[in-house]
Amino acid sequence: MLKIRRPQIDALAALSRRRFAADAGAHLRRVHPERWAAVADAPLHGWVERRIVRGLKLGLVEELSLLRHLEVASRLDERFADSNDALAVLHDLDGLRRWPEPMALLECLHRATVTT
């Protein structure tokens, strides 16, 4: 019988997380070049890692939700990305599959919070 030990599981999870963070950083450079083009890899990687940790604490466990959370934090602002308004959208996986429609809604919600 094959037995997978905890250190092996942890190593696989860490590898998956590193790959996701690297892919997410490259994605942010593509979709928000105005913010990230001139930023070195290390600061971008640190920001992505911090935002992933924050997203996990907020209950975002799907890669799609975390990626969209990073986009919202990058494009709008981090505080809004952590808000109940944004999280309601980011927890809706079916809605996130219709991207960029949810981002348009989030931009409207963000404008409403900025102007009030």
Side-chain angles (χ1 to χ4, degrees):
M1 172 187 339
L2 177 66
K3 185 172 184 177
I4 300 175
R5 292 183 172 74
R6 188 81 209 150
Q8 293 168 309
I9 293 170
D10 293 344
L12 288 171
L15 174 62
S16 176
R17 173 125 169 218
R18 284 192 308 273
R19 284 183 178 160
F20 174 72
D23 290 347
H27 175 77
L28 290 174
R29 284 193 192 282
R30 277 191 312 277
V31 299
H32 302 143
E34 68 284 353
R35 177 162 185 193
W36 299 110
V39 176
D41 287 341
L44 172 58
H45 179 73
W47 186 87
V48 167
E49 283 292 330
R50 283 190 303 279
R51 294 308 306 167
I52 290 171
V53 168
R54 183 67 183 142
L56 290 169
K57 285 182 182 176
L58 294 168
L60 301 170
V61 295
E62 299 290 335
E63 284 188 359
L64 179 60
S65 297
L66 287 167
L67 182 63
R68 298 311 185 203
H69 185 252
L70 291 167
E71 283 188 55
V72 172
S74 173
R75 184 178 304 264
L76 303 176
D77 73 60
E78 294 181 47
R79 239 180 19 205
F80 177 74
D82 296 350
S83 73
N84 289 335
D85 289 337
L87 290 173
V89 174
L90 294 169
H91 279 284
D92 177 11
L93 284 177
D94 290 332
L96 292 179
R97 289 186 181 96
R98 295 189 313 269
W99 201 260
E101 188 179 308
M103 186 58 161
L105 170 62
L106 289 165
E107 288 171 340
C108 288
L109 292 170
H110 181 257
R111 278 193 303 275
T113 60
V114 172
T115 59
T116 57

Short mmCIF file of all heavy atoms in Angstrom, two decimals, residues 45-107:
data_model
loop_
_atom_site.label_atom_id
_atom_site.label_comp_id
_atom_site.label_asym_id
_atom_site.label_seq_id
_atom_site.Cartn_x
_atom_site.Cartn_y
_atom_site.Cartn_z
N HIS A 45 6.66 39.78 -5.99
CA HIS A 45 6.46 38.47 -5.36
C HIS A 45 6.04 38.64 -3.89
O HIS A 45 5.14 37.95 -3.42
CB HIS A 45 7.72 37.61 -5.46
CG HIS A 45 7.59 36.28 -4.82
ND1 HIS A 45 6.83 35.26 -5.37
CD2 HIS A 45 8.07 35.80 -3.65
CE1 HIS A 45 6.87 34.22 -4.56
NE2 HIS A 45 7.63 34.51 -3.52
N GLY A 46 6.68 39.55 -3.18
CA GLY A 46 6.31 39.80 -1.78
C GLY A 46 4.88 40.28 -1.65
O GLY A 46 4.14 39.84 -0.77
N TRP A 47 4.49 41.18 -2.54
CA TRP A 47 3.11 41.70 -2.52
C TRP A 47 2.12 40.57 -2.80
O TRP A 47 1.12 40.44 -2.10
CB TRP A 47 2.96 42.82 -3.55
CG TRP A 47 1.63 43.51 -3.50
CD1 TRP A 47 1.29 44.56 -2.70
CD2 TRP A 47 0.47 43.18 -4.26
NE1 TRP A 47 -0.03 44.92 -2.93
CE2 TRP A 47 -0.54 44.07 -3.89
CE3 TRP A 47 0.19 42.22 -5.22
CZ2 TRP A 47 -1.82 44.05 -4.43
CZ3 TRP A 47 -1.09 42.18 -5.77
CH2 TRP A 47 -2.07 43.08 -5.38
N VAL A 48 2.41 39.77 -3.83
CA VAL A 48 1.52 38.65 -4.17
C VAL A 48 1.40 37.69 -2.99
O VAL A 48 0.30 37.28 -2.63
CB VAL A 48 2.01 37.92 -5.44
CG1 VAL A 48 1.32 36.58 -5.63
CG2 VAL A 48 1.82 38.80 -6.67
N GLU A 49 2.52 37.34 -2.37
CA GLU A 49 2.48 36.42 -1.22
C GLU A 49 1.64 36.98 -0.08
O GLU A 49 0.84 36.26 0.52
CB GLU A 49 3.90 36.10 -0.73
CG GLU A 49 4.63 35.12 -1.59
CD GLU A 49 4.04 33.73 -1.53
OE1 GLU A 49 3.46 33.33 -0.50
OE2 GLU A 49 4.15 33.01 -2.54
N ARG A 50 1.84 38.26 0.24
CA ARG A 50 1.06 38.88 1.33
C ARG A 50 -0.44 38.88 1.00
O ARG A 50 -1.27 38.61 1.87
CB ARG A 50 1.53 40.31 1.58
CG ARG A 50 2.83 40.39 2.36
CD ARG A 50 3.16 41.81 2.81
NE ARG A 50 3.23 42.76 1.70
CZ ARG A 50 4.27 42.94 0.90
NH1 ARG A 50 5.35 42.21 1.07
NH2 ARG A 50 4.25 43.84 -0.06
N ARG A 51 -0.77 39.18 -0.26
CA ARG A 51 -2.18 39.21 -0.64
C ARG A 51 -2.79 37.81 -0.66
O ARG A 51 -3.97 37.64 -0.35
CB ARG A 51 -2.35 39.89 -2.00
CG ARG A 51 -2.00 41.37 -2.03
CD ARG A 51 -2.68 42.20 -0.97
NE ARG A 51 -4.12 42.03 -0.99
CZ ARG A 51 -4.94 42.43 -0.03
NH1 ARG A 51 -4.48 43.03 1.04
NH2 ARG A 51 -6.23 42.23 -0.12
N ILE A 52 -2.01 36.79 -1.02
CA ILE A 52 -2.52 35.42 -0.97
C ILE A 52 -2.84 35.04 0.47
O ILE A 52 -3.91 34.50 0.76
CB ILE A 52 -1.52 34.42 -1.61
CG1 ILE A 52 -1.48 34.62 -3.12
CG2 ILE A 52 -1.89 32.98 -1.24
CD1 ILE A 52 -0.38 33.82 -3.81
N VAL A 53 -1.93 35.34 1.38
CA VAL A 53 -2.17 35.06 2.80
C VAL A 53 -3.43 35.77 3.27
O VAL A 53 -4.28 35.17 3.94
CB VAL A 53 -0.94 35.45 3.66
CG1 VAL A 53 -1.27 35.44 5.14
CG2 VAL A 53 0.23 34.53 3.36
N ARG A 54 -3.57 37.03 2.89
CA ARG A 54 -4.77 37.80 3.29
C ARG A 54 -6.03 37.18 2.69
O ARG A 54 -7.04 37.04 3.38
CB ARG A 54 -4.61 39.26 2.85
CG ARG A 54 -5.75 40.13 3.27
CD ARG A 54 -5.81 40.28 4.78
NE ARG A 54 -6.97 41.08 5.11
CZ ARG A 54 -7.75 40.87 6.15
NH1 ARG A 54 -7.45 39.92 7.02
NH2 ARG A 54 -8.80 41.61 6.37
N GLY A 55 -5.98 36.81 1.42
CA GLY A 55 -7.14 36.20 0.78
C GLY A 55 -7.54 34.89 1.46
O GLY A 55 -8.73 34.64 1.67
N LEU A 56 -6.56 34.08 1.82
CA LEU A 56 -6.85 32.83 2.53
C LEU A 56 -7.51 33.11 3.87
O LEU A 56 -8.47 32.42 4.26
CB LEU A 56 -5.58 32.00 2.70
CG LEU A 56 -5.00 31.40 1.42
CD1 LEU A 56 -3.61 30.84 1.68
CD2 LEU A 56 -5.93 30.33 0.86
N LYS A 57 -7.03 34.12 4.58
CA LYS A 57 -7.63 34.48 5.87
C LYS A 57 -9.08 34.94 5.70
O LYS A 57 -9.89 34.79 6.60
CB LYS A 57 -6.83 35.58 6.56
CG LYS A 57 -5.54 35.09 7.16
CD LYS A 57 -4.80 36.19 7.87
CE LYS A 57 -3.48 35.68 8.41
NZ LYS A 57 -2.68 36.73 9.02
N LEU A 58 -9.38 35.50 4.54
CA LEU A 58 -10.74 35.97 4.25
C LEU A 58 -11.63 34.87 3.69
O LEU A 58 -12.77 35.11 3.32
CB LEU A 58 -10.69 37.15 3.27
CG LEU A 58 -10.03 38.40 3.83
CD1 LEU A 58 -9.76 39.41 2.72
CD2 LEU A 58 -10.89 39.02 4.93
N GLY A 59 -11.10 33.65 3.62
CA GLY A 59 -11.89 32.50 3.19
C GLY A 59 -11.87 32.22 1.71
O GLY A 59 -12.64 31.39 1.23
N LEU A 60 -11.00 32.87 0.97
CA LEU A 60 -10.86 32.61 -0.46
C LEU A 60 -9.88 31.46 -0.64
O LEU A 60 -8.69 31.62 -0.42
CB LEU A 60 -10.37 33.86 -1.19
CG LEU A 60 -11.27 35.09 -1.05
CD1 LEU A 60 -10.58 36.32 -1.60
CD2 LEU A 60 -12.61 34.86 -1.72
N VAL A 61 -10.38 30.30 -1.02
CA VAL A 61 -9.52 29.13 -1.10
C VAL A 61 -9.33 28.63 -2.53
O VAL A 61 -8.38 27.89 -2.79
CB VAL A 61 -10.04 27.98 -0.20
CG1 VAL A 61 -9.97 28.38 1.27
CG2 VAL A 61 -11.45 27.59 -0.58
N GLU A 62 -10.19 29.01 -3.43
CA GLU A 62 -10.06 28.60 -4.83
C GLU A 62 -9.03 29.49 -5.52
O GLU A 62 -9.01 30.70 -5.28
CB GLU A 62 -11.41 28.71 -5.55
CG GLU A 62 -12.49 27.84 -4.96
CD GLU A 62 -12.26 26.36 -5.22
OE1 GLU A 62 -11.56 26.02 -6.20
OE2 GLU A 62 -12.78 25.55 -4.44
N GLU A 63 -8.22 28.91 -6.39
CA GLU A 63 -7.23 29.71 -7.10
C GLU A 63 -7.87 30.84 -7.90
O GLU A 63 -7.34 31.94 -7.94
CB GLU A 63 -6.37 28.82 -8.01
CG GLU A 63 -5.34 28.03 -7.25
CD GLU A 63 -4.37 27.30 -8.16
OE1 GLU A 63 -4.49 27.39 -9.40
OE2 GLU A 63 -3.47 26.64 -7.61
N LEU A 64 -9.02 30.56 -8.51
CA LEU A 64 -9.70 31.60 -9.28
C LEU A 64 -10.09 32.77 -8.38
O LEU A 64 -9.88 33.93 -8.73
CB LEU A 64 -10.94 31.03 -9.98
CG LEU A 64 -11.76 32.01 -10.80
CD1 LEU A 64 -10.92 32.63 -11.91
CD2 LEU A 64 -12.99 31.31 -11.37
N SER A 65 -10.63 32.49 -7.20
CA SER A 65 -11.01 33.56 -6.27
C SER A 65 -9.79 34.35 -5.82
O SER A 65 -9.82 35.57 -5.74
CB SER A 65 -11.70 32.97 -5.04
OG SER A 65 -12.89 32.34 -5.39
N LEU A 66 -8.71 33.63 -5.51
CA LEU A 66 -7.48 34.31 -5.09
C LEU A 66 -6.89 35.17 -6.20
O LEU A 66 -6.46 36.30 -5.96
CB LEU A 66 -6.45 33.29 -4.60
CG LEU A 66 -6.75 32.65 -3.25
CD1 LEU A 66 -5.85 31.43 -3.03
CD2 LEU A 66 -6.59 33.65 -2.13
N LEU A 67 -6.90 34.66 -7.41
CA LEU A 67 -6.37 35.43 -8.54
C LEU A 67 -7.19 36.70 -8.76
O LEU A 67 -6.63 37.79 -8.93
CB LEU A 67 -6.36 34.58 -9.81
CG LEU A 67 -5.79 35.27 -11.05
CD1 LEU A 67 -4.32 35.61 -10.84
CD2 LEU A 67 -5.98 34.39 -12.26
N ARG A 68 -8.50 36.58 -8.72
CA ARG A 68 -9.35 37.77 -8.90
C ARG A 68 -9.20 38.74 -7.73
O ARG A 68 -9.26 39.95 -7.90
CB ARG A 68 -10.81 37.36 -9.09
CG ARG A 68 -11.06 36.51 -10.32
CD ARG A 68 -10.45 37.07 -11.57
NE ARG A 68 -10.81 36.29 -12.74
CZ ARG A 68 -10.12 36.25 -13.85
NH1 ARG A 68 -9.02 36.96 -13.98
NH2 ARG A 68 -10.52 35.50 -14.86
N HIS A 69 -8.98 38.21 -6.53
CA HIS A 69 -8.73 39.05 -5.36
C HIS A 69 -7.46 39.87 -5.58
O HIS A 69 -7.41 41.08 -5.28
CB HIS A 69 -8.59 38.17 -4.11
CG HIS A 69 -8.46 38.91 -2.84
ND1 HIS A 69 -7.28 38.98 -2.15
CD2 HIS A 69 -9.35 39.64 -2.13
CE1 HIS A 69 -7.45 39.71 -1.06
NE2 HIS A 69 -8.69 40.12 -1.02
N LEU A 70 -6.43 39.23 -6.12
CA LEU A 70 -5.19 39.95 -6.44
C LEU A 70 -5.44 41.04 -7.48
O LEU A 70 -4.92 42.16 -7.36
CB LEU A 70 -4.13 38.97 -6.96
CG LEU A 70 -3.57 37.97 -5.96
CD1 LEU A 70 -2.79 36.89 -6.68
CD2 LEU A 70 -2.72 38.67 -4.93
N GLU A 71 -6.24 40.74 -8.49
CA GLU A 71 -6.55 41.73 -9.51
C GLU A 71 -7.28 42.94 -8.93
O GLU A 71 -6.96 44.08 -9.25
CB GLU A 71 -7.40 41.12 -10.62
CG GLU A 71 -6.63 40.25 -11.57
CD GLU A 71 -7.48 39.83 -12.74
OE1 GLU A 71 -8.05 40.70 -13.43
OE2 GLU A 71 -7.57 38.61 -12.99
N VAL A 72 -8.25 42.67 -8.07
CA VAL A 72 -9.02 43.76 -7.46
C VAL A 72 -8.10 44.62 -6.59
O VAL A 72 -8.13 45.84 -6.65
CB VAL A 72 -10.22 43.21 -6.64
CG1 VAL A 72 -10.90 44.31 -5.85
CG2 VAL A 72 -11.21 42.52 -7.58
N ALA A 73 -7.26 43.97 -5.79
CA ALA A 73 -6.33 44.71 -4.93
C ALA A 73 -5.35 45.52 -5.77
O ALA A 73 -4.99 46.65 -5.41
CB ALA A 73 -5.59 43.75 -4.01
N SER A 74 -4.92 44.97 -6.89
CA SER A 74 -3.97 45.63 -7.76
C SER A 74 -4.60 46.81 -8.50
O SER A 74 -4.02 47.89 -8.58
CB SER A 74 -3.42 44.62 -8.77
OG SER A 74 -2.60 45.25 -9.73
N ARG A 75 -5.78 46.61 -9.04
CA ARG A 75 -6.41 47.64 -9.86
C ARG A 75 -7.12 48.71 -9.03
O ARG A 75 -7.04 49.90 -9.34
CB ARG A 75 -7.43 47.02 -10.81
CG ARG A 75 -8.05 48.05 -11.75
CD ARG A 75 -9.02 47.44 -12.72
NE ARG A 75 -8.46 46.38 -13.51
CZ ARG A 75 -7.96 46.54 -14.74
NH1 ARG A 75 -7.95 47.72 -15.29
NH2 ARG A 75 -7.47 45.50 -15.38
N LEU A 76 -7.81 48.30 -7.98
CA LEU A 76 -8.61 49.26 -7.20
C LEU A 76 -7.83 49.65 -5.94
O LEU A 76 -7.20 50.68 -5.92
CB LEU A 76 -9.98 48.67 -6.91
CG LEU A 76 -10.77 48.27 -8.17
CD1 LEU A 76 -12.09 47.61 -7.82
CD2 LEU A 76 -10.98 49.45 -9.09
N ASP A 77 -7.92 48.87 -4.90
CA ASP A 77 -7.06 49.04 -3.74
C ASP A 77 -7.24 47.87 -2.79
O ASP A 77 -8.23 47.15 -2.86
CB ASP A 77 -7.23 50.40 -3.06
CG ASP A 77 -8.51 50.56 -2.28
OD1 ASP A 77 -8.75 49.78 -1.34
OD2 ASP A 77 -9.28 51.47 -2.59
N GLU A 78 -6.27 47.69 -1.94
CA GLU A 78 -6.25 46.52 -1.07
C GLU A 78 -7.38 46.53 -0.05
O GLU A 78 -7.97 45.49 0.24
CB GLU A 78 -4.89 46.41 -0.37
CG GLU A 78 -3.77 46.13 -1.34
CD GLU A 78 -2.43 45.99 -0.66
OE1 GLU A 78 -2.34 45.27 0.34
OE2 GLU A 78 -1.47 46.62 -1.16
N ARG A 79 -7.66 47.70 0.51
CA ARG A 79 -8.74 47.77 1.50
C ARG A 79 -10.07 47.39 0.89
O ARG A 79 -10.86 46.66 1.48
CB ARG A 79 -8.81 49.16 2.11
CG ARG A 79 -8.62 49.14 3.59
CD ARG A 79 -8.69 50.47 4.25
NE ARG A 79 -9.36 51.49 3.46
CZ ARG A 79 -9.17 52.78 3.57
NH1 ARG A 79 -8.32 53.22 4.46
NH2 ARG A 79 -9.81 53.64 2.85
N PHE A 80 -10.32 47.87 -0.32
CA PHE A 80 -11.57 47.51 -0.98
C PHE A 80 -11.60 46.02 -1.30
O PHE A 80 -12.64 45.37 -1.16
CB PHE A 80 -11.79 48.33 -2.27
CG PHE A 80 -13.03 47.92 -2.99
CD1 PHE A 80 -14.28 48.29 -2.51
CD2 PHE A 80 -12.97 47.14 -4.13
CE1 PHE A 80 -15.44 47.89 -3.15
CE2 PHE A 80 -14.12 46.73 -4.78
CZ PHE A 80 -15.36 47.11 -4.30
N ALA A 81 -10.49 45.46 -1.73
CA ALA A 81 -10.44 44.02 -2.05
C ALA A 81 -10.79 43.17 -0.83
O ALA A 81 -11.30 42.05 -0.98
CB ALA A 81 -9.06 43.65 -2.58
N ASP A 82 -10.54 43.68 0.36
CA ASP A 82 -10.85 42.96 1.59
C ASP A 82 -12.24 43.27 2.14
O ASP A 82 -12.64 42.72 3.16
CB ASP A 82 -9.82 43.32 2.68
CG ASP A 82 -8.41 42.88 2.31
OD1 ASP A 82 -8.23 42.14 1.33
OD2 ASP A 82 -7.48 43.30 3.02
N SER A 83 -12.97 44.16 1.49
CA SER A 83 -14.27 44.61 2.00
C SER A 83 -15.35 43.56 1.79
O SER A 83 -15.23 42.67 0.94
CB SER A 83 -14.69 45.91 1.31
OG SER A 83 -15.08 45.64 -0.04
N ASN A 84 -16.41 43.68 2.56
CA ASN A 84 -17.53 42.75 2.41
C ASN A 84 -18.14 42.83 1.02
O ASN A 84 -18.57 41.81 0.47
CB ASN A 84 -18.59 43.05 3.47
CG ASN A 84 -18.15 42.65 4.86
OD1 ASN A 84 -17.30 41.77 5.01
ND2 ASN A 84 -18.68 43.29 5.87
N ASP A 85 -18.19 44.03 0.44
CA ASP A 85 -18.74 44.17 -0.91
C ASP A 85 -17.93 43.35 -1.91
O ASP A 85 -18.49 42.61 -2.71
CB ASP A 85 -18.74 45.64 -1.35
CG ASP A 85 -19.77 46.47 -0.62
OD1 ASP A 85 -20.77 45.90 -0.12
OD2 ASP A 85 -19.59 47.70 -0.55
N ALA A 86 -16.62 43.50 -1.87
CA ALA A 86 -15.77 42.76 -2.81
C ALA A 86 -15.81 41.26 -2.52
O ALA A 86 -15.90 40.45 -3.45
CB ALA A 86 -14.34 43.27 -2.73
N LEU A 87 -15.77 40.89 -1.25
CA LEU A 87 -15.76 39.47 -0.90
C LEU A 87 -17.04 38.77 -1.33
O LEU A 87 -16.99 37.59 -1.71
CB LEU A 87 -15.51 39.29 0.59
CG LEU A 87 -14.09 39.65 1.03
CD1 LEU A 87 -13.99 39.60 2.55
CD2 LEU A 87 -13.07 38.72 0.39
N ALA A 88 -18.16 39.46 -1.29
CA ALA A 88 -19.40 38.85 -1.74
C ALA A 88 -19.29 38.43 -3.21
O ALA A 88 -19.75 37.36 -3.60
CB ALA A 88 -20.57 39.81 -1.56
N VAL A 89 -18.64 39.24 -4.00
CA VAL A 89 -18.42 38.91 -5.42
C VAL A 89 -17.35 37.84 -5.57
O VAL A 89 -17.49 36.90 -6.35
CB VAL A 89 -18.05 40.19 -6.21
CG1 VAL A 89 -17.68 39.86 -7.64
CG2 VAL A 89 -19.18 41.22 -6.15
N LEU A 90 -16.28 37.95 -4.81
CA LEU A 90 -15.15 37.04 -4.95
C LEU A 90 -15.43 35.62 -4.44
O LEU A 90 -14.74 34.68 -4.82
CB LEU A 90 -13.92 37.62 -4.23
CG LEU A 90 -13.39 38.90 -4.85
CD1 LEU A 90 -12.36 39.55 -3.94
CD2 LEU A 90 -12.81 38.64 -6.23
N HIS A 91 -16.45 35.46 -3.61
CA HIS A 91 -16.83 34.13 -3.14
C HIS A 91 -17.78 33.43 -4.10
O HIS A 91 -18.08 32.26 -3.93
CB HIS A 91 -17.46 34.21 -1.74
CG HIS A 91 -16.46 34.30 -0.64
ND1 HIS A 91 -15.73 33.22 -0.20
CD2 HIS A 91 -16.05 35.35 0.10
CE1 HIS A 91 -14.93 33.60 0.77
NE2 HIS A 91 -15.09 34.89 0.98
N ASP A 92 -18.26 34.14 -5.12
CA ASP A 92 -19.21 33.58 -6.08
C ASP A 92 -18.44 33.01 -7.27
O ASP A 92 -18.19 33.69 -8.26
CB ASP A 92 -20.19 34.67 -6.54
CG ASP A 92 -21.16 34.19 -7.59
OD1 ASP A 92 -21.24 32.96 -7.84
OD2 ASP A 92 -21.84 35.05 -8.19
N LEU A 93 -18.06 31.74 -7.19
CA LEU A 93 -17.24 31.12 -8.24
C LEU A 93 -17.94 31.11 -9.59
O LEU A 93 -17.31 31.34 -10.62
CB LEU A 93 -16.84 29.70 -7.85
CG LEU A 93 -15.74 29.58 -6.81
CD1 LEU A 93 -15.51 28.12 -6.45
CD2 LEU A 93 -14.47 30.22 -7.28
N ASP A 94 -19.23 30.86 -9.60
CA ASP A 94 -19.96 30.87 -10.88
C ASP A 94 -19.88 32.25 -11.51
O ASP A 94 -19.67 32.39 -12.71
CB ASP A 94 -21.41 30.45 -10.68
CG ASP A 94 -21.54 28.98 -10.33
OD1 ASP A 94 -20.67 28.19 -10.75
OD2 ASP A 94 -22.52 28.62 -9.65
N GLY A 95 -20.04 33.28 -10.71
CA GLY A 95 -19.95 34.64 -11.21
C GLY A 95 -18.55 34.97 -11.71
O GLY A 95 -18.39 35.64 -12.73
N LEU A 96 -17.53 34.51 -11.00
CA LEU A 96 -16.15 34.79 -11.39
C LEU A 96 -15.79 34.17 -12.73
O LEU A 96 -14.91 34.66 -13.43
CB LEU A 96 -15.18 34.30 -10.32
CG LEU A 96 -15.22 35.07 -8.99
CD1 LEU A 96 -14.21 34.46 -8.03
CD2 LEU A 96 -14.97 36.54 -9.19
N ARG A 97 -16.49 33.12 -13.10
CA ARG A 97 -16.23 32.49 -14.40
C ARG A 97 -16.71 33.36 -15.56
O ARG A 97 -16.36 33.10 -16.70
CB ARG A 97 -16.87 31.11 -14.44
CG ARG A 97 -16.15 30.13 -13.53
CD ARG A 97 -16.68 28.71 -13.64
NE ARG A 97 -15.96 27.85 -12.74
CZ ARG A 97 -16.38 27.53 -11.52
NH1 ARG A 97 -17.52 27.98 -11.07
NH2 ARG A 97 -15.65 26.75 -10.75
N ARG A 98 -17.51 34.38 -15.26
CA ARG A 98 -17.98 35.31 -16.29
C ARG A 98 -17.11 36.57 -16.35
O ARG A 98 -17.53 37.59 -16.88
CB ARG A 98 -19.43 35.72 -16.00
CG ARG A 98 -20.42 34.58 -16.10
CD ARG A 98 -21.86 35.06 -16.02
NE ARG A 98 -22.13 36.01 -14.95
CZ ARG A 98 -22.53 35.67 -13.72
NH1 ARG A 98 -22.69 34.42 -13.40
NH2 ARG A 98 -22.75 36.59 -12.82
N TRP A 99 -15.92 36.50 -15.81
CA TRP A 99 -14.99 37.63 -15.79
C TRP A 99 -14.83 38.16 -17.20
O TRP A 99 -14.77 37.37 -18.13
CB TRP A 99 -13.65 37.14 -15.24
CG TRP A 99 -12.78 38.22 -14.69
CD1 TRP A 99 -11.74 38.81 -15.32
CD2 TRP A 99 -12.86 38.82 -13.39
NE1 TRP A 99 -11.16 39.73 -14.51
CE2 TRP A 99 -11.84 39.77 -13.32
CE3 TRP A 99 -13.71 38.66 -12.30
CZ2 TRP A 99 -11.62 40.54 -12.19
CZ3 TRP A 99 -13.50 39.41 -11.19
CH2 TRP A 99 -12.47 40.35 -11.13
N PRO A 100 -14.88 39.42 -17.47
CA PRO A 100 -14.65 40.58 -16.61
C PRO A 100 -15.93 41.23 -16.08
O PRO A 100 -15.87 42.28 -15.46
CB PRO A 100 -13.89 41.54 -17.52
CG PRO A 100 -14.45 41.27 -18.87
CD PRO A 100 -14.74 39.79 -18.89
N GLU A 101 -17.08 40.62 -16.32
CA GLU A 101 -18.34 41.19 -15.82
C GLU A 101 -18.30 41.49 -14.32
O GLU A 101 -18.68 42.60 -13.90
CB GLU A 101 -19.48 40.23 -16.17
CG GLU A 101 -20.86 40.73 -15.91
CD GLU A 101 -21.88 39.68 -16.31
OE1 GLU A 101 -21.82 39.19 -17.45
OE2 GLU A 101 -22.72 39.36 -15.45
N PRO A 102 -17.84 40.56 -13.47
CA PRO A 102 -17.78 40.88 -12.04
C PRO A 102 -16.84 42.04 -11.72
O PRO A 102 -17.08 42.81 -10.80
CB PRO A 102 -17.29 39.59 -11.40
CG PRO A 102 -17.63 38.52 -12.37
CD PRO A 102 -17.51 39.17 -13.72
N MET A 103 -15.77 42.20 -12.51
CA MET A 103 -14.84 43.31 -12.27
C MET A 103 -15.54 44.64 -12.54
O MET A 103 -15.32 45.61 -11.81
CB MET A 103 -13.59 43.18 -13.14
CG MET A 103 -12.55 44.23 -12.81
SD MET A 103 -12.03 44.18 -11.07
CE MET A 103 -10.50 45.05 -11.15
N ALA A 104 -16.40 44.68 -13.54
CA ALA A 104 -17.16 45.91 -13.81
C ALA A 104 -18.05 46.25 -12.62
O ALA A 104 -18.14 47.42 -12.21
CB ALA A 104 -17.99 45.74 -15.08
N LEU A 105 -18.68 45.24 -12.03
CA LEU A 105 -19.50 45.46 -10.84
C LEU A 105 -18.63 45.95 -9.69
O LEU A 105 -18.99 46.91 -8.98
CB LEU A 105 -20.21 44.17 -10.44
CG LEU A 105 -20.92 44.17 -9.09
CD1 LEU A 105 -22.03 45.21 -9.05
CD2 LEU A 105 -21.48 42.78 -8.77
N LEU A 106 -17.48 45.32 -9.49
CA LEU A 106 -16.58 45.74 -8.41
C LEU A 106 -16.09 47.17 -8.61
O LEU A 106 -15.99 47.93 -7.65
CB LEU A 106 -15.40 44.78 -8.31
CG LEU A 106 -15.75 43.39 -7.76
CD1 LEU A 106 -14.64 42.41 -8.02
CD2 LEU A 106 -16.08 43.48 -6.28
N GLU A 107 -15.83 47.56 -9.85
CA GLU A 107 -15.42 48.95 -10.10
C GLU A 107 -16.52 49.93 -9.74
O GLU A 107 -16.26 50.98 -9.18
CB GLU A 107 -14.98 49.10 -11.57
CG GLU A 107 -13.66 48.44 -11.84
CD GLU A 107 -13.30 48.38 -13.32
OE1 GLU A 107 -14.19 48.50 -14.18
OE2 GLU A 107 -12.09 48.21 -13.60
#
